[in-house]
Amino acid sequence: RCLPMNPPTQHAAHGPIIARLDLHPEGAPRGFVLAAGDESSVLAPGQSWMQVDHYKWVTRGLMEPPQSFHVAADGTVDLNGESFSPQDPGAAERLTRLLNARHAAQPPPRPPTPSRRDESSLPQGVTYHVRLDPYGHLLIRAARGSDHTETGMRGLAHLAAEGWTRPFRSLHVDPLQRYIELNGTRYEPTPAGVAALEAFLNTECAPPASALGANGIEIRENPASSTGYDIAFFVHRAGARTEIHGHLNQETLDSLQDGEHCDLLQPGVVLRLAPPFLYFRRRRPDGGEVPIPELGDVKYRSTTAAQLQQFLNHPAIRRGGGNVPTVSAPADPAPAASPPPQTPVAPPLPPPLPKPSLPAPPPAPPRVEAPAPVATQPPALPSPRPLPPPFLEPRDTHLIHEAVFHALATSGGHQIQDLRLSLDRVFEDRRFEIIEFDDLEVSNVLQLRGAAFHGAYLVHLSHDRLDLVYAKHGVHFEWGTDRCLIQPTPGAESIEYGQPALLGLGQLTTGAWAFVVTPHFREWSRRYDPAAEAAEVAILDPHEALAHPSFRLLWPSDATPS
């Protein structure tokens, strides 16, 4: 049977535990004897507390469990860090008082944790609260808003390393935790020591507001990032405060929105990156999403790092962001961000939807009636004006891609390698038609994605789906049946355009290949012209191609059957 702790009837029946001297027959003290009523135990050298407490005084609640216990060969007892020698006068009385000392059965209740809803009204500075644990040791609790941590005396150095306190000039903890010395002052685990330590921490050790970071989310420029920026913030993992620092992409934004490890964002805030826009949404109770009224969507390529950082630390986005300067609607992103996407779930590429409503080049004089159909057609039609002959809309994309691929091979006088390649756990025996402009043999798929490959290849995905890829120096242009991809630099993320775009192929007098694309894709891809120049290609719409003084059309031609 399990006896309840601190039963008052047993304690009253046996009385307190009394320490007496154990004497030699000639009368000299040789150790101690503990007695409770008619129960007694001799403290013999080398015995553990479990051997001494064969009457289960601790289990029965007559005394609290000792934190440390040792009996030396001369009978000296070390209990809870204090030594009692049988040769010292009054040692038995002091040992009796320590054995019967009791701490509070329940630790004082912690203050209720503030609701996350009131985060913006919480103080942003660090406050400290010091108390005693049930064993009489000092415990320090540091809190900043709803974020808090608690540690013992040995963990103060960790608090300083994690930025919860200023660095201490000196710090020493007694091995038995009987006191702690901070900056030359000793604090003991007594009520007076608790009050003095708490006052010292709150008046002299709180880090300055600048060290806390007014911007919990930091943005820095980085040309190597696909978005042009890096992001940095802190999360809590395995009880430790860990910094997340990396490129601003959807993966790091997902870590920022992980409520289990990061509490920086307001409840329900959704951040979605769809180049060149960063969308701010708030999730509805029914699972849908709505724009945040305080903020519009940001065209981040038209902002600076400081402006984007202010957006992410706006009180509507970040918890406790009330002390962040209000975003003053920068002139650059506001006009570009004003046309929101047509659907609440961000499409693969938002710009094609709002672009048709922008001012378009004037229609050709013979086609006066052309503007009316364009204004009434749905946004899926990307062309702002009719395509000149012999170009047609990219309907049968597999036929266009195959014709352009063979035009590349014929014009360059290169052989086509027809191979069956596999990629573990992805596909097996897929057909690839490959042109290697340097006449190198291709034996695996990884060569096609490497920086050394220079050429084009046709991927046979199905009987009516052929994707065409051109690559040089790690820059890739992929023309698909339902989307197009541009990888501007080796190792960069591919940027997606959500519609087919390839119309034909030409060549400039410089020898560069010229891909003829839909006018809307041309407008979207202008930012990647430097990447195209590095790959020795040009991206032109039909009007630009036919007006270019050095352009020669390879496919289609006037003789090409429609």
Side-chain angles (χ1 to χ4, degrees), residues 241-289:
R241 192 164 178 255
T242 306
E243 183 180 20
I244 299 295
H245 179 216
H247 295 337
L248 176 62
N249 51 33
Q250 192 59 52
E251 182 179 356
T252 52
L253 290 179
D254 290 343
S255 298
L256 183 61
Q257 298 172 82
D258 182 5
E260 294 185 2
H261 302 97
C262 183
D263 59 355
L264 288 174
L265 298 187
Q266 294 283 0
V269 168
V270 178
L271 305 179
R272 183 173 292 108
L273 192 66
F277 287 90
L278 175 59
Y279 294 108
F280 300 97
R281 295 289 184 267
R282 182 171 287 120
R283 187 171 286 110
R284 297 196 308 255
D286 61 359
E289 298 174 3

Side-chain angles (χ1 to χ4, degrees), residues 89-442:
E93 289 77 5
R94 291 190 292 110
L95 180 56
T96 297
R97 287 196 297 271
L98 182 59
L99 289 170
N100 291 278
R102 291 179 178 273
H103 302 285
Q106 295 290 338
R110 295 185 181 182
T113 303
S115 171
R116 290 183 181 269
R117 300 176 187 174
D118 303 329
E119 181 77 16
S120 59
S121 63
L122 294 176
Q124 295 301 304
V126 178
T127 56
Y128 307 93
H129 175 69
V130 183
R131 64 181 178 88
L132 295 176
D133 68 1
Y135 304 111
H137 295 158
L138 293 170
L139 284 179
I140 300 95
R141 184 180 190 270
R144 178 171 60 240
S146 64
D147 193 9
H148 62 87
T149 184
E150 189 172 57
T151 184
M153 289 185 282
R154 294 191 178 101
L156 271 177
H158 177 72
L159 287 184
E162 290 293 325
W164 287 94
T165 68
R166 296 175 184 265
F168 301 107
R169 296 193 303 273
S170 63
L171 188 153
H172 173 70
V173 180
D174 179 67
L176 299 177
Q177 302 190 56
R178 292 172 294 188
Y179 62 86
I180 184 172
E181 288 186 1
L182 293 175
N183 297 350
T185 304
R186 176 178 293 194
Y187 302 93
E188 297 181 350
T190 62
V194 167
L197 178 58
E198 184 172 303
F200 168 73
L201 291 173
N202 283 291
T203 56
E204 299 187 27
C205 296
S210 59
L212 301 178
N215 295 302
I217 306 169
E218 295 185 3
I219 301 296
R220 306 160 192 167
E221 292 186 1
N222 182 2
S225 172
S226 61
T227 56
Y229 302 104
D230 280 356
I231 186 171
F233 54 91
F234 283 91
V235 299
H236 294 273
R237 292 177 177 169
R241 192 164 178 255
T242 306
E243 183 180 20
I244 299 295
H245 179 216
H247 295 337
L248 176 62
N249 51 33
Q250 192 59 52
E251 182 179 356
T252 52
L253 290 179
D254 290 343
S255 298
L256 183 61
Q257 298 172 82
D258 182 5
E260 294 185 2
H261 302 97
C262 183
D263 59 355
L264 288 174
L265 298 187
Q266 294 283 0
V269 168
V270 178
L271 305 179
R272 183 173 292 108
L273 192 66
F277 287 90
L278 175 59
Y279 294 108
F280 300 97
R281 295 289 184 267
R282 182 171 287 120
R283 187 171 286 110
R284 297 196 308 255
D286 61 359
E289 298 174 3
V290 294
I292 297 178
E294 298 90 334
L295 292 173
D297 300 324
V298 178
K299 191 173 184 180
Y300 58 84
R301 296 185 184 277
S302 302
T303 66
T304 64
Q307 291 172 333
L308 190 57
Q309 179 170 287
Q310 281 190 330
F311 269 91
L312 290 172
N313 287 279
H314 191 274
I317 300 297
R318 210 200 95 197
R319 296 180 187 271
N323 60 339
V324 180
T326 304
V327 180
S328 57
D332 288 333
S338 57
Q342 299 296 320
T343 57
V345 178
L349 189 72
L353 296 177
K355 284 287 186 178
S357 62
L358 298 177
R367 301 289 298 275
V368 178
E369 73 284 356
V374 173
T376 58
Q377 283 180 329
L381 182 62
S383 300
R385 56 177 172 169
L387 299 178
F391 299 103
L392 301 173
E393 291 290 342
R395 296 184 181 91
D396 298 328
T397 53
H398 62 292
L399 299 178
I400 295 177
H401 298 165
E402 186 174 22
V404 169
F405 176 78
H406 287 281
L408 284 169
T410 303
S411 301
H414 298 284
Q415 297 292 327
I416 297 177
Q417 304 178 42
D418 198 332
L419 304 176
R420 292 281 181 171
L421 301 178
S422 302
L423 186 62
D424 289 344
R425 302 183 184 90
V426 180
F427 57 81
E428 186 175 357
D429 290 335
R430 180 171 290 173
R431 184 186 176 193
F432 286 78
E433 293 184 75
I434 304 169
I435 305 171
E436 222 296 332
F437 291 158
D438 297 329
D439 296 327
L440 300 178
E441 291 292 332
V442 177

Side-chain angles (χ1 to χ4, degrees), residues 504-521:
L505 176 70
Q507 194 170 23
L508 306 182
T509 55
T510 58
W513 301 107
F515 292 101
V516 184
V517 297
T518 58
H520 190 271
F521 179 88

Side-chain angles (χ1 to χ4, degrees), residues 20-57:
R20 300 193 302 264
L21 290 176
D22 181 23
L23 304 178
H24 284 284
E26 59 272 16
R30 59 182 179 184
F32 293 95
V33 176
L34 304 184
D38 56 355
E39 302 170 353
S40 62
S41 294
V42 178
L43 303 186
Q47 286 186 337
S48 65
W49 177 253
M50 296 298 295
Q51 295 172 312
V52 171
D53 189 19
H54 51 269
Y55 292 109
K56 306 301 180 185
W57 292 335

